[in-house]
């Protein structure tokens, strides 16, 4: 991890501990691109926080207000998720999320909304990544606080997220195509790969006519091309990826 990103990560860990309390924060863990081949030009700083107890509204409000000031801008965007240990260990489905900050929600938070706890199936792949990465920034190894996610729950969680992805196809095209490729890869192989590695895998298996939009998404993600979706058959590519996802999910039942 570049020194600048490492310094920002250290600052985020200190920020979380200050707002939520050392007695509450049991561990902070890196995941995502930083642990799957390295940060890319468009990568977020992805952190999971494990807590000993639920947060208060005031704690979540204060943490959100400060994250609005440090996420994005000249630095990388931050995606920070918190779980209460006893809500995910022993494992149950769907798991419950205590807190979420992400840049796609910035306008909502700037209007004064405060993240609330809620059930979140997407925690299944996230916790799986955290356990596999084993990258503590504070606290013990993640396996000391988290249970492994059963294969069946991992598969149904990532498949369940596909309709939500498709709803954002026009507004977040690059990320949607790359994430669909990652879903397909995970269902077919059991691995959770970086977005560019998942795109590589998928491009090697898609018919040639469906490849250009996904290849462009990968190149933009790596900083090799400027994002431009005009004239690209995005819908056709996304629909083909969804068909492959359904086939891979059905094959694993």
């Amino acid at each position: 991890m570049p020194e600048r990103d490492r310094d920002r990560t250290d600052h985020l860990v200190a920020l979380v501990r200050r707002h939520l309390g050392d007695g509450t924060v049991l561990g902070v863990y890196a995941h995502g691109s930083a642990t799957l081949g390295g940060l890319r030009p468009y990568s977020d700083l992805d952190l999971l926080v494990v807590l000993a107890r639920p947060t208060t509204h005031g704690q979540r409000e204060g943490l959100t207000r400060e994250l609005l000031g440090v996420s994005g801008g000249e630095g990388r965007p931050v995606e920070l998720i918190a779980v209460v240990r006893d809500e995910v260990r022993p494992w149950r489905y769907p798991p419950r999320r205590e807190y979420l900050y992400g840049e796609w929600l910035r306008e909502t938070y700037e209007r004064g909304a405060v993240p609330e706890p809620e059930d979140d199936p997407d925690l299944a792949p996230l916790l799986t990544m955290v356990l596999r990465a084993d990258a503590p920034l504070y606290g013990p190894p993640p396996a000391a606080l988290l249970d492994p996610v059963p294969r069946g729950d991992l598969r149904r969680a990532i498949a369940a997220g596909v309709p939500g992805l498709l709803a954002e196809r026009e507004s977040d095209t690059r990320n949607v195509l790359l994430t669909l490729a990652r879903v397909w890869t995970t269902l077919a192989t059991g691995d959770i790969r970086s977005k560019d590695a998942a795109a590589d895998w998928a491009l090697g298996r898609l018919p040639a006519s469906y490849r250009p939009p996904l290849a462009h998404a990968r190149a933009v993600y790596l900083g090799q091309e400027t994002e431009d979706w005009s004239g690209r058959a995005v819908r056709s590519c996304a629909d083909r990826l969804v068909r492959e996802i359904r086939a891979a999910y059905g094959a694993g039942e």
Side-chain angles (χ1 to χ4, degrees):
M1 183 184 295
E3 184 174 352
R4 181 181 181 184
D5 290 323
R6 188 177 299 110
D7 290 343
R8 282 176 55 78
T9 300
D10 291 343
H11 175 70
L12 289 168
V13 172
L15 182 157
V16 167
R17 293 174 64 191
R18 183 171 71 253
H19 278 278
L20 303 184
D22 283 344
T24 297
V25 178
L26 299 176
V28 183
Y29 304 96
H31 64 95
S33 299
T35 62
L36 291 171
L39 291 165
R40 307 306 191 193
Y42 286 95
S43 296
D44 293 350
L45 288 176
D46 296 304
L47 301 181
L48 174 76
V49 181
V50 181
L51 305 171
R53 60 186 65 87
T55 57
T56 66
H57 180 89
Q59 286 174 321
R60 296 193 302 277
E61 182 178 40
L63 180 58
T64 303
R65 189 182 306 115
E66 189 153 358
L67 286 172
L68 284 169
V70 302
S71 176
E74 296 183 0
R76 291 187 184 276
V78 174
E79 181 175 327
L80 190 147
I81 293 174
V83 297
V84 177
R85 178 187 53 191
D86 292 347
E87 294 285 354
V88 294
R89 186 174 196 176
W91 170 259
R92 78 290 308 264
Y93 188 92
R96 190 161 182 80
R97 184 187 70 221
E98 180 69 13
Y99 177 86
L100 166 65
Y101 179 90
E103 276 299 298
W104 67 94
L105 296 167
R106 172 174 284 273
E107 291 185 5
T108 301
Y109 295 154
E110 287 179 335
R111 291 195 297 267
V114 176
E116 297 291 339
E118 61 180 271
D119 291 346
D120 183 3
D122 284 346
L123 284 175
L126 188 152
L127 297 182
T128 300
M129 283 193 288
V130 168
L131 286 164
R132 292 182 183 180
D134 194 14
L137 302 169
Y138 171 78
L145 302 175
L146 303 171
D147 282 346
V149 176
R151 177 177 177 272
D153 285 347
L154 173 63
R155 290 175 59 82
R156 69 168 167 162
I158 61 174
V162 169
L165 281 171
L166 293 177
E168 299 174 356
R169 180 170 47 198
E170 302 300 325
S171 62
D172 194 13
T173 303
R174 166 175 44 85
N175 186 58
V176 167
L177 291 179
L178 292 172
T179 304
L180 288 172
R182 178 188 261 179
V183 170
W184 179 21
T185 303
T186 300
L187 289 174
T189 71
D191 293 334
I192 299 179
R193 308 185 187 193
S194 65
K195 288 179 178 176
D196 52 304
D200 281 340
W201 184 93
L203 286 167
R205 290 157 177 81
L206 282 174
S209 61
Y210 296 99
R211 295 174 194 162
L214 180 59
H216 179 60
R218 180 187 180 279
V220 173
Y221 180 71
L222 293 175
Q224 298 170 348
E225 295 181 9
T226 301
E227 195 155 16
D228 180 7
W229 296 106
S230 58
R232 301 186 190 274
V234 171
R235 180 179 293 274
S236 177
C237 177
D239 289 347
R240 178 63 188 230
L241 288 168
V242 170
R243 290 200 297 273
E244 297 291 355
I245 287 168
R246 288 172 177 161
Y249 186 64
E253 290 295 289

